[in-house]
Amino acid sequence: MSYEFLQHYWCFIISLLGALLVFLMFVQGANSMIFSLGKTDQERRMLINSTGRKWEFTFTTLVTFGGAFFASFPLFYSTSFGGAYWLWMLILFSFVLQAVSYEFQNKLGNFLGAKTFQCFLVFNGIVGPLLLGGAVATFFEGSNFIVVKENLVNSQLSIVNSQLEITPVISHWANASHGLDALLNPWVLVFGLAVLFLARTLGILYTMNNIDDEVIRTRGRYQLAGSATVFVVLFVAYLVHLLLKDGFAYDDSGTIFMEPNKYLHNALEMWYLTVVMLIGVVLVLYGILRELLSGSKFFTLHSIPDQWSPTRSLSLFTLPGIWPAGIGTVLTVTPLLLLSAWNHTAYYPSTADLQSSLTLENSCSSYFTLNTMFWVSLLVPFVLAYIVYAWRKIDSKKIDRAEIEADDHAY
């Protein structure tokens, strides 16, 4: 395996993890709508228990995504997670707040009240997808940082535990906002809002399938129309902007330069990624329309039975809307992220110093590290198989009002 192959392989793995994270943020999307989908305490508890059985998957994927980036492209990790730390700290704070909220809202001695922790879940449901979407948008729009690799030699001094130590600072942010300045770019906000409304759309689709309650399903169908419409408008607007904007390219010598319509060229030259992305978009739209029109004669005749049996025929056209929409999300986001890095494209461009932009070649780990991790990554299918098994066990019975009233361990 060549060094170049391993760089592209790990870029694909990270993009796939990022796409899975976007899908799993249906947890945040549903949490952001606790008070609009659930009008009573019992309805809100059903919603919280629905997402509460899955929030660990989202958090674990976020940590795995960051860990894979750290191991494969350490210069990106140190530049983004170290330089834009206010942005990432807000994201991580909202996820930690989510975990605390699940566990303590109904504990004895909770003097803040259950509603306070439910508001914390709403905070995570809005801030998490919005800021994560904004962070991803910087792969196309750029960030305000400077990289000086010569600082490995010309290190600066610092005092640690009363001792003088040499601390090499390779990259630093060019202003004091440390990542929050990205939100001043309107297109970063557009993409962040698109991710937020996608998460809300997926959250509604998931709860409509996971909760056995006609009141929530009916209410969710009305909310689905609004969230899905806003998502489609924002996503199409950003996609058009992306294909028409100048992109950050580099030549064989590693010199970064601006190329007109770079991402359009990537989409045409890597047509296979575009085909996968279009299939993903169709599946997302199908999943949404399936739930919106689920009361019609066609979808009633083709709906999946409550109890699935291996002897029954199963396809994307008989699954509930969350599954074609979820698979479509992964198929859409993965090639979209690859368009920002493959085909001689700087995946983390710098707006402060063009030549500081990060590429697969100038920010990756050593060949030995990438090669070793490649063999370890072959175990991933076994992990995914366990996740699928655990998921099916958790969702073997839909949540209903009787379960919430009878289960003393429910959130």
Side-chain angles (χ1 to χ4, degrees), residues 118-188:
Q118 290 170 4
C119 290
F120 289 161
L121 289 176
V122 174
F123 175 79
N124 169 252
I126 295 174
V127 171
L130 176 64
L131 294 186
L132 275 172
V136 171
T138 61
F139 291 173
F140 301 101
E141 304 298 327
S143 296
N144 204 4
F145 63 90
I146 298 175
V147 175
V148 184
K149 290 187 177 181
E150 289 77 9
N151 283 349
L152 281 172
V153 179
N154 303 319
S155 304
Q156 63 182 24
L157 300 179
S158 62
I159 298 178
V160 179
N161 296 327
S162 301
Q163 294 183 348
L164 200 62
E165 292 187 0
I166 298 178
T167 306
V169 179
I170 303 175
S171 56
H172 64 273
W173 224 248
N175 56 43
S177 68
H178 293 289
L180 295 180
D181 53 307
L183 300 177
L184 297 177
N185 184 332
W187 287 111
V188 170

Side-chain angles (χ1 to χ4, degrees), residues 197-198 200-202 204-205 222-235 284-285 288-289 292:
F197 280 95
L198 173 60
R200 289 165 71 96
T201 300
L202 294 173
I204 296 169
L205 291 172
Y222 285 109
Q223 295 285 347
L224 178 61
S227 294
T229 300
V230 175
F231 158 67
V232 171
V233 171
L234 291 173
F235 180 74
V284 171
L285 294 177
I288 295 170
L289 291 174
L292 287 176

